[in-house]
Amino acid sequence: MSDREKILRYYRTSGEDQLAVKLLDAADAVLRNRKYKVVEFLDPFGYTIAETIIAHYDRLQLITNGGYLGAERQKAAFVHKDFLGKEEFMISALLVSWDSRYYHISHRDILGAFMGLGIKRETIGDIIMLGDSSQIVVDSSMASYIMQNLTSVGSATVTIKEISLDEIRPREEKIKEIRTTVASLRVDVIAAAGFGVSRSKMADEIVADKVKINWQQAKSSSHLIKEGDVISMRGRGRIEVSEIFGQTKKGRISILLKRVI
């Protein structure tokens, strides 16, 4: 079995084989042209697929760029080691503004407005909320289209302009530590403790495809969580399982969660 087939078989079980095919095709193209190939924005899980692939291609290297230092969503470039030029990632930044006295706009609202324009998620990088505005990293090929067509977000009229990548303000994340004990390491139990909802409510959210584990859709409430895993919930942010300390005298498991708020 070839390395390509092994990689596809592995990711087929998680339903991510389509992305794996796209990344493998990009890597194969670089082997042929001995230059480089940039793929669209990847979330952290997509990046792990790219890392898995690059480990099997000793003549290639992997370079990423999300527009600013610390970006969560990044473009990945497969670069042939013989290529001596400079990679062009084609990344632009837009500033969307509105009157915050009358409208409250969320990350989800911004993303929904983009989807309403028929823009694919893969062409959008990070969306950084700033109160009365939002800085959005996008594929450069979409910048003009967005500026011409994005006139409102929900019921709010917005203005939009292009800014330099140097003007991007890295996201300010506040971390809340949660020390607690749980009955088990099931995802519904851990997530319920981290997000402050009931276990039954969390089970419903998982069924509704609103919960991800390490940026991959949670498929079952019984999925066991390990130290270092990141659980995200649509509209509620994310938590990291920072430490698992072991069992208490009462048989519960002591854990430390870090919730991004």
Side-chain angles (χ1 to χ4, degrees):
M1 183 183 295
S2 68
D3 287 341
R4 181 186 178 95
E5 291 171 333
K6 290 177 183 177
I7 292 169
L8 288 178
R9 172 180 284 187
Y10 177 79
Y11 286 109
R12 191 171 291 120
T13 60
S14 62
E16 298 292 340
D17 51 313
Q18 288 187 343
L19 178 56
V21 167
K22 182 185 294 187
L23 297 179
L24 282 164
D25 287 347
D28 288 337
V30 175
L31 284 179
R32 293 191 298 270
N33 64 33
R34 304 175 71 85
K35 295 180 180 180
Y36 74 94
K37 175 72 173 179
V38 178
V39 299
E40 296 173 317
F41 287 101
L42 302 173
D43 62 19
F45 179 71
Y47 178 71
T48 65
I49 299 178
E51 283 188 312
T52 299
I53 292 171
I54 206 69
H56 293 82
Y57 287 73
D58 57 6
R59 286 180 289 170
L60 306 185
Q61 59 183 328
L62 185 65
I63 300 175
T64 60
N65 190 329
Y68 69 100
L69 186 64
E72 182 174 281
R73 294 178 59 82
Q74 301 198 40
K75 283 189 174 185
F78 293 101
V79 184
H80 200 282
K81 290 183 178 179
D82 292 342
F83 179 70
L84 300 178
K86 181 176 177 59
E87 307 83 19
E88 177 56 65
F89 282 88
M90 295 293 290
I91 296 175
S92 298
L94 304 175
L95 178 68
V96 179
S97 304
W98 57 88
D99 192 332
S100 60
R101 294 174 300 173
Y102 307 108
Y103 302 101
H104 171 73
I105 293 178
S106 67
H107 181 286
R108 186 176 180 181
D109 295 328
I110 295 285
L111 187 57
F114 275 57
M115 299 299 103
L117 292 177
I119 298 170
K120 295 181 179 179
R121 185 65 177 101
E122 294 79 10
T123 62
I124 307 170
D126 282 358
I127 299 174
I128 305 168
M129 305 305 296
L130 301 175
D132 61 351
S133 61
S134 176
Q135 293 179 331
I136 305 167
V137 182
V138 301
D139 187 288
S140 295
S141 65
M142 299 302 300
S144 294
Y145 176 80
I146 294 170
M147 287 190 288
Q148 291 171 9
N149 292 277
L150 186 67
T151 58
S152 63
V153 175
S155 58
T157 299
V158 299
T159 59
I160 185 168
K161 66 177 183 179
E162 187 168 1
I163 59 175
S164 72
L165 297 180
D166 292 338
E167 294 180 74
I168 298 177
R169 291 164 52 184
R171 61 176 74 243
E172 296 181 4
E173 295 183 333
K174 296 181 180 179
I175 305 295
K176 176 183 179 182
E177 290 193 349
I178 303 171
R179 295 178 181 270
T180 187
T181 61
V182 291
S184 79
L185 295 177
R186 288 167 50 117
V187 62
D188 57 346
V189 175
I190 300 291
F195 292 114
V197 301
S198 70
R199 180 176 171 182
S200 61
K201 171 66 173 175
M202 184 54 61
D204 290 340
E205 300 287 15
I206 292 172
V207 171
D209 291 335
K210 294 183 179 180
V211 178
K212 292 185 177 182
I213 305 168
N214 299 328
W215 292 273
Q216 191 176 10
Q217 209 71 54
K219 293 181 170 57
S220 170
S221 294
S222 62
H223 181 102
L224 294 180
I225 296 300
K226 63 183 183 299
E227 193 168 285
D229 281 350
V230 175
I231 305 171
S232 54
M233 180 178 174
R234 190 185 307 165
R236 300 291 293 271
R238 66 180 186 271
I239 57 174
E240 177 187 346
V241 183
S242 181
E243 293 185 67
I244 299 175
F245 299 107
Q247 286 194 339
T248 67
K249 292 181 179 180
K250 294 184 178 181
R252 293 175 65 82
I253 303 170
S254 179
I255 60 174
L256 171 64
L257 305 176
K258 293 184 178 179
R259 181 176 176 184
V260 178
I261 55 177

